[in-house]
Amino acid sequence: MNGDGPLNVRGVQVWRGFLDAAMQARLLTALRDVARAAPPVHPETRSGRKMSVRMTSAGSVGWVSDRRGYRYAPRHPSGAAWPPIPDAALEIWRALGPAAQLPDCCLINFYGEGARMGLHQDRDEASFDWPVISVSLGDDGLFRIGSVERGGKTESLWLSSGDVVVMGGAARLVHHGVDRIRFRSSSLLPKGGRINVTLRVAQGGDRVQQPE
Ligand code: SIN
Ligand code: MN
């Protein structure tokens, strides 16, 4: 992992090239294992629209969305427990996150050609005291960062494979989204696409990695 300092974009830390090629490959292998145990799905929004991004999770809870709304759930829609958060992902948290708390959720987003994610806040967690740490793998993604408040100015930057973004402190609740990806800009994923991994403390407090 690379130790150069981060860029600061509207209070969000952007660590360019934080993961070297070997670490990206190691994380990808671990994510493939997660996806085998907990197959990614296109979640539905409350209105019944399918999201363009496919998602799965690791950890004691996973982020799910369906007609009942957004929430963290202890099980994959199939009924199976989520697999544990891979060590390769926890190492990134240990390097950049608070030592006092480990994440209990690792949300994995798969962006195929044309997939995007609208501007939103990460606010389904029990506490906003902990950062959200976001790792990009594969194709470049155009990441948009706004304000904590709705509306107003936004700033966009391309995130590449190995970049890590930390949304914490005053920037914990900034609006953010992915407008588009540059399909096949990276050769990390043989079929193209972008993976984003976010590490979160979903349940707050001291409840770390509770057994199911
Ligand atoms: C997210 O907000 O869950 C994903 C952000 C990203 O894909 O970079
Ligand atoms: Mn988000």
Side-chain angles (χ1 to χ4, degrees):
M1 289 185 262
N2 167 325
D4 293 345
L7 300 175
N8 179 320
V9 184
R10 303 178 74 85
V12 172
Q13 288 179 13
V14 180
W15 293 82
R16 293 280 188 205
F18 193 74
L19 306 187
D20 63 17
M23 181 61 177
Q24 291 174 42
R26 199 177 135 223
L27 181 58
L28 182 61
T29 300
L31 297 176
R32 289 203 169 109
D33 290 342
V34 170
R36 254 190 299 278
V41 298
H42 287 281
E44 265 186 273
T45 61
R46 205 190 277 274
S47 64
R49 204 167 37 84
K50 285 234 188 282
M51 295 187 187
S52 58
V53 175
R54 286 184 303 137
M55 296 185 185
T56 189
S57 292
S60 53
V61 288
W63 189 86
V64 298
S65 174
D66 55 25
R67 291 193 181 246
R68 288 164 53 204
Y70 304 146
R71 63 192 178 282
Y72 286 98
R75 288 176 185 279
H76 183 273
S78 70
W82 304 101
I85 300 179
D87 284 342
L90 289 175
E91 279 176 29
I92 299 165
W93 181 281
R94 287 200 180 94
L96 294 179
Q101 179 73 47
L102 284 177
D104 57 2
C105 176
C106 172
L107 172 66
I108 305 159
N109 295 323
F110 297 87
Y111 295 77
E113 190 169 13
R116 59 183 299 279
M117 186 176 292
L119 213 58
H120 66 278
Q121 292 171 294
D122 289 356
R123 56 177 314 143
D124 301 318
E125 300 72 33
S127 156
F128 305 133
D129 292 345
W130 312 105
V132 170
I133 297 188
S134 166
V135 184
S136 293
L137 288 178
D139 290 341
D140 298 344
L142 186 58
F143 188 63
R144 185 193 291 260
I145 303 173
S147 311
V148 173
E149 302 76 36
R150 251 172 183 281
K153 273 205 278 187
T154 65
E155 205 167 318
S156 296
L157 66 155
W158 285 98
L159 294 178
S160 302
S161 198
D163 291 350
V164 177
V165 167
V166 181
M167 292 181 280
R172 170 62 180 77
L173 287 170
V174 290
H175 285 78
H176 58 278
V178 176
D179 289 340
R180 60 195 165 91
I181 69 163
R182 271 187 192 131
F183 192 63
R184 293 210 177 275
S185 52
S186 156
S187 55
L188 185 72
L189 304 176
K191 293 180 188 156
R194 172 173 186 263
I195 297 178
N196 173 260
V197 174
T198 46
L199 294 162
R200 297 129 182 259
V201 179
Q203 298 173 100
D206 293 311
R207 298 197 293 160
V208 177
Q209 298 291 318
Q210 287 186 328
E212 293 296 327

